[in-house]
């Protein structure tokens, strides 16, 4: 369909971009800006081949951190990530990974959002604003 999602692990790319001795405000070692590197490299690749590509870069690493992760957090995140990769490599799309009854499961995103208490009308102004702001095509069928 002409869309792709690229997920890069925090800390990846030290062999390409080098390592740093600097630390951030929390005292953690500053990691290479692999996301920005991948964004630019992807844009350059498509431009070189005469194609147009809209590349969005989202770095949630500092938005979601409020306290250091403990061992349980690290294990849970590892399991979520591994199961997401397994699902993608198995050819599944449109899913999220979660823990249900102590089992890691692949959850269809349409089922998740259909039962969400925060529903958005696909014919409403909020959805139109989302489509406009992200410059994405509106693939939701209208009623």
């Amino acid at each position: 369909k002409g869309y792709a999602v690229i997920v890069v692990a925090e800390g990846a790319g030290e062999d390409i971009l080098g390592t740093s001795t600097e630390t951030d405000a929390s005292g953690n070692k500053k990691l290479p800006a692999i996301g920005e590197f991948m964004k630019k490299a992807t844009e350059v690749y498509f431009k070189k081949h005469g194609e147009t590509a809209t590349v969005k870069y989202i770095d949630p690493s500092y938005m979601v951190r409020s306290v250091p992760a403990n061992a349980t957090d690290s294990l849970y995140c590892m399991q979520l990530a591994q199961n997401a990769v397994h699902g993608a490599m198995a050819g599944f799309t449109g899913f999220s990974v979660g823990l249900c009854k102590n089992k890691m499961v692949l959850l269809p995103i349409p089922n998740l959002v259909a039962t969400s208490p925060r529903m958005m009308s696909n014919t409403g102004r909020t959805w139109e604003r989302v489509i406009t702001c992200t410059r994405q095509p509106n693939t939701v069928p209208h009623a």
Side-chain angles (χ1 to χ4, degrees):
K1 292 185 179 184
Y3 299 96
V5 175
I6 301 171
V7 180
V8 182
E10 183 180 38
E14 286 185 336
D15 54 333
I16 298 169
L17 302 174
T19 59
S20 174
T21 57
E22 297 178 45
T23 57
D24 62 14
S26 304
N28 299 313
K29 179 177 128 178
K30 281 195 173 181
L31 300 169
I34 189 68
E36 294 168 13
F37 172 80
M38 292 292 293
K39 179 183 187 297
K40 288 177 188 165
T42 304
E43 290 170 338
V44 167
Y45 174 86
F46 279 99
K47 188 173 184 178
K48 180 179 173 183
H49 289 86
E51 298 283 333
T52 302
T54 302
V55 183
K56 307 223 182 313
Y57 169 60
I58 302 168
D59 179 9
S61 62
Y62 290 99
M63 291 187 282
V64 297
R65 271 191 209 147
S66 59
V67 296
N70 61 26
T72 304
D73 294 334
S74 297
L75 176 64
Y76 184 56
C77 289
M78 180 191 69
Q79 290 172 326
L80 290 173
Q82 286 177 345
N83 281 280
V85 170
H86 285 301
M89 296 301 285
F92 294 112
T93 59
F95 71 92
S96 184
V97 180
L99 188 65
C100 294
K101 297 186 180 181
N102 211 26
K103 302 271 186 199
M104 296 302 283
V105 295
L106 305 181
L107 302 162
I109 290 176
N111 292 30
L112 287 173
V113 298
T115 58
S116 171
R118 295 186 178 118
M119 294 272 308
M120 184 184 313
S121 169
N122 63 355
T123 58
R125 293 196 58 157
T126 302
W127 180 247
E128 289 177 6
R129 288 181 183 123
V130 169
I131 295 298
T132 301
C133 290
T134 59
R135 297 182 186 162
Q136 297 296 311
N138 191 354
T139 59
V140 177
H142 293 288

